[in-house]
Amino acid sequence: MKKLVLTMLSIAGMMLFTALPAKACTSYYVGKDCTKDGTTMYGRTEDISSRKDKVYKVIQAKHVGKNAVYKDESGATEFQAPIKVDTTYRYTICRDNEGDEDGYFGEFGTNSKGVTMSATTSASAARSIRQYDPYVKNTGITEENLTDYILCQASTAREGVEILADVMDTIGAGEGNGLFIADKNEVWYFEMLLGHNYCAIKMPSNKAAVIPNCLVIGDVDLSDKENVIASPNLVKVAKNNGFYVPAQDGKGDINVKLSYTGKGYSAGNADRIRGGQYLLNGQDNTAIYTDDYQDIFINVKNVTVEKLYELAGYRYENMNFGRDISRVIGVKSSAECHIFQIDSSMPAELATVQWVCMGNADMSTFVPFYGALLTDVSRAYKMEAHNYNSRAAYWIFRNVGFLCEDGDNRTAYGKGVKQFYTAYMTKMEELQKNVNAQMLNVYKNDKANLEYYATKLGIAIGDETMDFAKALYADIQTCKADGTTYEVSSLSADDITYDLSMVAAPAKKAESITVTKPDTQIKKVAAPARVKVRAKALKGKKAKVNLKKVAQASGYEIMYSTNMNFTKKATKKVSTTKITKTIRKLKKKKTYYIKARAYKLDGKTKVYGKWSLIKKVVIKK
């Protein structure tokens, strides 16, 4: 197994391979003055392949000492550059699995200092001008290394920008890219223009932008050191070689986009800008197709996480282009999508919620994590599975997309899936507010256990959301077999559990944490966790139901019915010693819906947990 190793400069060089960047991604940004809750949001879709397994994992901190050098130990490039810290920072990363031969390709992540990155939307300068400052192949920094190299050592967003700028000044870039680097206070957009030329701008709080695979930075004032960081020769290279275009506002030093691309946007890129802008502000910007169009920023109001979820999967359903569309945003080739939601009023550890979507957001959903605090993730998220594996998070979420994305399946199955996931996102964003309050309470009263709660909560909500995806997949398979249209009747956003009650208190200092819910009072005995259920039909008109044990449960109830709304139902009691139950005397050729819940005893009173997700079995004979 390959490992990312931080080594000393004296270690031998790596094998010669060239990394292959993702070529069709779409980034998005919304400043805090443009959102409904005053948080800053940014992110990206990674569009490369519908069968490009991704893992989400934690890279632990490592003591490397002084004068250490980062090396690309994947074998994909020869890139190496100095590490500026004695001990690297822990960080989360979403990247290719280690079975891939083209390298790691870290796409997004958060480090323990609260620095976040989204890398990259591949974008290059015009081919005719690359000769004047060529890309540095093999040894230059590329998408393959960007996120790992910067997150392991950047303590602020500006420092991350400066680290990348220094690498481009001294070593160079192996390709063109656009990427975000942020912390709780500011978001920077960095464009790697040529081998040693670049420009980064601090993103405005009162604007939004949709950025496809093209350079988008327009007029810049190089004297504005607070908001612009650029290569020393940015203007000189353009002027000396005849491709310089002055700032269009008459105030700045250069228009980066028109200088380094020489024209407007291609049809595929322009379509994505137009479609994304329309979804965010309702205005159909057809001017985007003109050669001199260069201002990427727009005015929007009241944007939510749910709206960016819709954007990440958007196919221009309510637009009329009057022609075949060159490129939609929500393509089935998205391997992952992500949103960073930043609340500058929160402590750095809690300021950023990292919303992670495995697969295409059009037929998947985002799951929230406190990336700066995670010390681990669920086994399914970090499972390396180059080929299909029903236990790997990527494939669990991607399965539903395979069934729903194309042709008549979008109507027969996709409509119901989209209905459920949209309701899920609405509920999750509301619940996140309560979780933020709970985690802030932990921060103030039991900070030593903050990482513990964030990690356990992340594992719990990740696992719960995977259970929903598994249930959707099973329901659709049943509908395919029956030849029926899928409607989400057996799943509801009301089934979601998302708060610190999902986390068992640590062995010590448990009494210092008060977990509150938005609409309920604290019980003397906390409700048990939701039980997980498996069910299958047996011969002889029977069904076998297996329950997974819940900690401290006093017993369980199983409910079953031929009606998915359980208007006519029967129940079975299950003890804690034998949690497998066989239901007998069922009717032949009937579909049965089965759910279960655990309970604890508060004296003689039963305190019930939430019902499990509903399972279906068909009694054939």
Side-chain angles (χ1 to χ4, degrees), residues 245-266:
V245 177
Q248 303 298 286
D249 62 6
K251 300 176 183 178
D253 296 285
I254 186 174
N255 184 283
V256 177
K257 173 184 168 38
L258 296 181
S259 293
Y260 280 81
T261 64
K263 58 181 180 180
Y265 301 104
S266 67

Side-chain angles (χ1 to χ4, degrees), residues 282-477:
Q283 298 178 21
D284 193 356
N285 182 11
T286 57
I288 196 72
Y289 299 103
T290 59
D291 284 347
D292 60 351
Y293 191 92
Q294 53 90 29
D295 185 7
I296 197 65
F297 293 112
I298 58 172
N299 297 313
V300 299
K301 294 181 179 179
N302 298 321
V303 175
T304 60
V305 171
E306 302 104 285
K307 179 59 71 172
L308 286 190
Y309 161 66
E310 185 180 355
L311 176 66
Y314 193 39
R315 294 192 169 199
Y316 320 146
E317 289 87 350
N318 53 347
M319 295 184 70
N320 181 10
F321 279 67
R323 57 171 171 77
D324 290 338
I325 299 169
S326 299
R327 183 67 161 70
V328 296
I329 296 172
V331 294
K332 66 179 181 180
S333 59
S334 291
E336 54 81 16
C337 310
H338 53 272
I339 300 168
F340 290 99
Q341 183 183 23
I342 307 170
D343 183 348
S344 60
S345 69
M346 295 283 277
E349 298 95 326
L350 295 169
T352 302
V353 175
Q354 185 171 278
W355 296 81
V356 179
C357 172
M358 292 295 193
N360 172 20
D362 181 42
M363 290 295 162
S364 187
T365 191
F366 287 90
V367 183
F369 301 95
Y370 291 101
L373 292 167
L374 296 186
T375 60
D376 200 2
V377 297
S378 75
R379 183 178 299 177
Y381 271 93
K382 60 187 178 183
M383 180 176 289
E384 310 280 352
H386 183 68
N387 296 311
Y388 170 76
N389 188 316
S390 62
R391 297 176 297 163
Y394 172 83
W395 295 108
I396 290 169
F397 288 109
R398 195 70 192 88
N399 267 354
V400 177
F402 284 140
L403 297 179
C404 299
E405 287 171 338
D406 293 323
D408 293 340
N409 289 344
R410 291 189 65 82
T411 300
Y413 316 125
K415 184 177 180 181
V417 169
K418 197 71 176 176
Q419 175 191 341
F420 170 72
Y421 276 145
T422 299
Y424 174 95
M425 286 301 303
T426 301
K427 182 70 175 290
M428 286 300 295
E429 185 166 20
E430 184 61 31
L431 291 177
Q432 185 62 53
K433 298 174 184 177
N434 183 59
V435 171
N436 285 343
Q438 292 179 333
M439 290 296 288
L440 187 59
N441 183 44
V442 176
Y443 177 86
K444 292 176 179 178
N445 297 297
D446 191 16
K447 192 174 180 180
N449 282 315
L450 192 62
E451 289 181 352
Y452 169 86
Y453 278 98
T455 299
K456 294 297 184 182
L457 181 64
I459 291 172
I461 189 58
D463 287 346
E464 179 177 85
T465 312
M466 284 189 287
D467 285 342
F468 283 119
K470 291 174 184 176
L472 286 169
Y473 183 77
D475 283 355
I476 294 168
Q477 291 284 37

Side-chain angles (χ1 to χ4, degrees), residues 133-145:
D133 181 16
Y135 294 123
V136 183
K137 299 298 183 182
N138 297 319
T139 58
I141 192 167
T142 63
E143 180 179 356
E144 203 277 336
N145 298 293

Side-chain angles (χ1 to χ4, degrees), residues 200-275:
I201 59 171
K202 187 188 295 185
M203 298 296 277
S205 64
N206 62 343
K207 298 289 184 179
V210 177
I211 305 173
N213 297 103
C214 51
L215 303 180
V216 300
I217 295 177
D219 295 342
V220 294
D221 177 359
L222 299 180
S223 67
D224 183 5
K225 303 299 184 182
E226 178 65 25
N227 297 296
V228 179
I229 296 176
S231 51
N233 294 323
L234 181 71
V235 174
K236 182 180 179 180
V237 168
K239 284 186 174 180
N240 287 354
N241 296 288
F243 57 86
Y244 170 77
V245 177
Q248 303 298 286
D249 62 6
K251 300 176 183 178
D253 296 285
I254 186 174
N255 184 283
V256 177
K257 173 184 168 38
L258 296 181
S259 293
Y260 280 81
T261 64
K263 58 181 180 180
Y265 301 104
S266 67
N269 288 330
D271 284 353
R272 279 183 279 168
I273 296 171
R274 176 184 173 187

Side-chain angles (χ1 to χ4, degrees), residues 80-82 136 149 163-173 195-196 198:
Q80 59 184 37
V136 183
Y149 177 65
I163 289 170
L164 180 54
D166 184 57
V167 166
M168 288 193 63
D169 287 338
T170 57
I171 299 171
H196 299 85
Y198 55 86

